[in-house]
Amino acid sequence: MNIEQIYREESGRILATLIRLLGDLDLAEDAVQEAFAAALAAWPKTGAPANPRAWLVSAGRNKAVDLLRRRALLESKRDELARLNALAEQVADVPEETMLKDDRLRLIFTCCHPALPREAQVPLTLRTLCGLSTEEIAHAFLVPVPTMAQRLVRAKQKIRDAGIPYRVPADEELPDRVETVLLVVYLVFNEGYNASAGDALVRRELCGEAIRLGRLVHGLMPGEPEAQALLALMLLHDSRRDARTTESGEIVLLEEQDRSRWHRDQIAEGLELVENALGRGARGPYALQAAIAALHAQAKSVQETDWHQIAALYELLWQVQPSPVVELNRAVAVAMANGLSEGLLLLDALQERGELRGYYLLPAARGDLLRRMERWEQSGEAYREALALVSNEAERKFLQRRLAEVQGKI
Amino acid sequence: MQYLLLIYDQESQWGKLNEAEQGKMMHEYGELTKSIQQSGHYLASSQLHPVAKATTVRVRDGKKLVTDGPFAETKEQLGGFYLIEAKDLDDAVAIAARIPSARLGSIEIRPLVVRERVAA
């Protein structure tokens, strides 16, 4: 393994451990950078050590001691000297695997602390646990680099000044806090999956990062079936990545996708995870969405899809997460299961309530049902409505194609 | 770390409670104070008179301006505070959640700035 690979895979763990040892995120980040710089200088001559991670942790710790010593000398600060002495007394032995696990778990809960703004939780998690650079994160979230850098700095300042702890929350707080962690992972995934603008390829890497995080969270909290369900959900969605767009980047709908291009290994893993999670009683939003994704993944075609069960699952999902977007999806499933006109009635009712005004997928879904019902003029009208609202270029192209298609029938 | 827990609620709501409810709330406050004194979190606390008794002072160009009322008219008013010593933010949040007014209004948690004492 070269140093770059080690950085990618280990920097999150090393950072987490150094934060525990040093009690300071900024100092730990500097120490990680210095440790890798030392490795770049030393390893080509000496060869990589047998246990690179232990080497880097101990190098980082020594670098931090140097940094603190320099600061202490410059400013003759008593508390820095006290920290220094405490550090020097720590035994420099190789940390146990379980300890490393705990370090990262603590760090996740810190990065996803509810006292941090959402717009900081997500990048901070990617920065510290996935080792993404500020530039990469800024690029992925379509934010200027200085803006993202400032967000990260502010978040770290709040962690320090408000006393946000590096600690796994107490049992009674755990359910709420786990929910935030899972939401952050899910947001990273969606950011990549629904890349609504910008360099889609770069942004799709976020799906990979989210799955990596999902594996980590599931591995760290094996007792949380919702964490397992979230991993399943992401794997099942991501398994369709190659079939979802044409080579020129145009959207291919589920019913037109070449299912032989779905990643079967990922589907198999996702199915096993979701079955296990459901078996352990998971009934939250991730478990239900994963169950829906599992039914799609198992179907040979749209016609052979179990739409009745999908509609029933959306009904359950609506009960735990009563949002108009869930209702929209349920209406489409009902249309496929019980007949187009029944689904259309639900969509019309949703439109009348006006909660999804400005959301292009509602007129797009109406346009699609009306198209299937061969009500060409009304369908065209709905597609025009959708086109007025859509912002994503690939989706605009798709809607234009559909509009041209129904107009040709009039 | 030291945290100031600022208790905000609508003064008008207090008036809507009947005597028994007011008494129950005051009793809960007393119990909370006792409990966090015993656990070593407590540093200071007080209820504040309503904003009708507030006075605001500004000095501009060396001239003192005194006006009636609070600094800003808001929907919820500062009604009291606790000053506590807590291990970290989670510890402070746990105490803030036990303040009876958290159920009606909201508690703002502000960490105190620690300045190192400069040796003379």
Side-chain angles (χ1 to χ4, degrees):
Chain A
M1 235 198 306
N2 61 32
I3 293 183
E4 210 171 301
Q5 262 176 300
I6 293 176
Y7 185 84
R8 194 103 186 108
E9 280 169 31
E10 299 285 348
S11 66
R13 287 174 216 232
I14 293 164
L15 179 65
T17 297
L18 285 171
I19 289 172
R20 172 173 55 81
L21 293 174
L22 306 170
D24 181 329
L25 208 159
D26 268 325
L27 182 62
E29 276 195 328
D30 289 346
V32 171
Q33 297 307 321
E34 297 234 4
F36 275 95
L40 273 173
W43 294 2
K45 287 177 227 150
T46 61
N51 186 343
R53 188 195 298 160
W55 191 98
L56 286 159
V57 166
S58 121
R61 193 181 138 277
N62 293 337
K63 292 288 178 190
V65 170
D66 290 346
L67 278 169
L68 284 177
R69 186 168 292 144
R70 253 177 281 151
R71 271 193 230 167
L73 281 176
L74 274 174
E75 301 168 34
S76 59
K77 280 187 186 166
R78 244 174 303 161
D79 61 329
E80 301 252 323
L81 280 167
R83 267 168 75 191
L84 197 57
N85 289 335
L87 256 181
E89 280 167 22
Q90 276 171 2
V91 197
D93 58 356
V94 182
E96 297 285 329
E97 188 62 32
T98 53
M99 200 179 259
L100 284 170
K101 254 176 106 168
D102 290 348
D103 287 342
R104 281 190 299 169
L105 192 57
R106 272 192 278 269
L107 188 53
I108 286 186
F109 281 111
T110 305
C111 293
C112 302
H113 198 282
L116 292 172
R118 183 80 69 217
E119 59 165 37
Q121 290 171 344
V122 170
L124 197 59
T125 304
L126 288 170
R127 177 84 193 86
T128 59
L129 282 143
C130 301
L132 262 62
S133 71
T134 306
E135 288 75 16
E136 285 172 308
I137 300 166
H139 194 57
F141 287 89
L142 311 169
V143 166
V145 175
T147 308
M148 186 53 82
Q150 196 174 35
R151 253 183 230 176
L152 288 167
V153 167
R154 286 208 183 119
K156 283 186 270 184
Q157 283 171 343
K158 176 145 191 197
I159 289 174
R160 190 188 59 219
D161 295 338
I164 293 177
Y166 294 104
R167 182 148 57 77
V168 176
D171 284 349
E172 68 269 18
E173 301 164 34
L174 205 56
D176 281 351
R177 298 286 304 275
V178 169
E179 210 177 289
T180 316
V181 169
L182 299 183
L183 181 61
V184 165
V185 176
Y186 188 55
L187 286 175
V188 173
F189 183 80
N190 272 339
E191 205 51 49
Y193 196 71
N194 302 322
S196 57
D199 190 338
L201 210 67
V202 176
R203 293 162 61 72
R204 222 175 297 147
E205 278 174 24
L206 286 177
C207 292
E209 291 300 339
I211 290 173
R212 233 157 66 88
L213 269 176
R215 282 190 199 287
L216 177 66
V217 172
H218 170 50
L220 296 174
M221 297 187 280
E224 289 288 338
E226 277 295 311
Q228 188 176 33
L230 174 58
L231 177 58
L233 173 64
M234 294 190 295
L235 284 166
L236 290 169
H237 277 306
D238 190 62
S239 72
R240 306 202 286 257
R241 63 182 176 274
D242 293 335
R244 284 176 71 217
T245 50
T246 63
E247 268 169 40
S248 55
E250 279 179 61
I251 291 173
V252 184
L253 283 195
L254 191 60
E255 61 177 306
E256 288 156 1
Q257 287 176 14
D258 174 1
R259 296 186 180 215
S260 69
R261 298 183 67 197
W262 290 1
H263 291 256
R264 290 290 147 193
D265 48 338
Q266 243 174 279
I267 291 177
E269 190 190 354
L271 289 177
E272 198 183 316
L273 287 166
V274 66
E275 269 168 39
N276 197 297
L278 291 169
R280 292 198 294 151
R283 295 292 181 272
Y286 303 119
L288 293 169
Q289 290 179 80
I292 291 166
L295 288 171
H296 283 303
Q298 285 167 306
K300 286 197 188 70
S301 67
V302 162
Q303 291 74 34
E304 286 172 69
T305 304
D306 189 346
W307 288 105
H308 283 282
Q309 209 178 332
I310 290 179
L313 285 165
Y314 272 120
E315 177 66 40
L316 288 175
L317 182 59
W318 187 78
Q319 282 167 20
V320 296
Q321 202 176 60
S323 88
V325 176
V326 173
E327 248 182 289
L328 168 62
N329 284 308
R330 184 179 60 131
V332 172
V334 166
M336 300 303 283
N338 301 349
L340 299 168
S341 52
E342 196 175 320
L344 187 62
L345 275 176
L346 292 172
L347 286 184
D348 287 346
L350 194 54
Q351 175 144 323
E352 228 153 83
R353 295 215 317 268
E355 287 160 88
L356 285 178
R357 196 171 297 133
Y359 188 61
Y360 87 95
L361 280 174
L362 176 55
R366 285 190 72 248
D368 186 53
L369 291 190
L370 288 162
R371 179 184 65 89
R372 290 169 196 270
M373 295 162 90
E374 302 188 357
R375 286 158 64 174
W376 310 117
E377 268 181 48
Q378 282 172 296
S379 169
E381 216 171 282
Y383 278 127
R384 269 190 291 272
E385 244 175 86
L387 273 164
L389 298 170
V390 75
S391 62
N392 177 314
E393 204 38 49
E395 275 149 11
R396 175 188 306 281
K397 271 193 202 155
F398 169 79
L399 290 170
Q400 275 163 346
R401 211 171 66 216
R402 274 283 150 89
L403 178 61
E405 195 185 312
V406 297
Q407 274 176 331
K409 306 273 190 179
I410 297 170
Chain B
M1 286 185 66
Q2 291 185 6
Y3 296 90
L4 187 61
L5 311 183
L6 298 159
I7 302 163
Y8 286 91
D9 53 14
Q10 290 179 31
E11 287 172 357
S12 55
Q13 264 186 337
W14 175 252
K16 285 183 203 147
L17 300 180
N18 64 39
E19 219 167 289
E21 287 168 329
Q22 288 186 353
K24 186 169 168 276
M25 193 120 167
M26 293 315 287
H27 178 72
E28 283 181 57
Y29 264 105
E31 291 295 305
L32 172 66
T33 304
K34 223 184 293 168
S35 155
I36 62 174
Q37 278 169 338
Q38 277 162 5
S39 62
H41 289 98
Y42 181 91
L43 294 172
S45 72
S46 186
Q47 187 182 358
L48 301 178
H49 280 295
V51 286
K53 318 277 173 69
T55 305
T56 302
V57 181
R58 294 176 179 84
V59 177
R60 296 290 181 273
D61 303 323
K63 196 173 177 310
K64 185 170 64 189
L65 297 162
V66 180
T67 50
D68 165 57
F71 163 65
E73 296 287 350
T74 47
K75 220 174 135 217
E76 295 189 326
Q77 297 81 28
L78 181 62
F81 69 90
Y82 277 95
L83 180 64
I84 60 163
E85 172 74 44
K87 195 168 61 192
D88 52 39
L89 184 61
D90 286 358
D91 199 19
V93 167
I95 290 172
R98 289 165 59 199
I99 296 177
S101 297
R103 300 195 301 264
L104 297 169
S106 41
I107 315 299
E108 183 175 319
I109 304 176
R110 300 286 293 266
L112 267 61
V113 174
V114 184
R115 297 216 192 286
E116 286 160 51
R117 258 180 233 139
V118 183

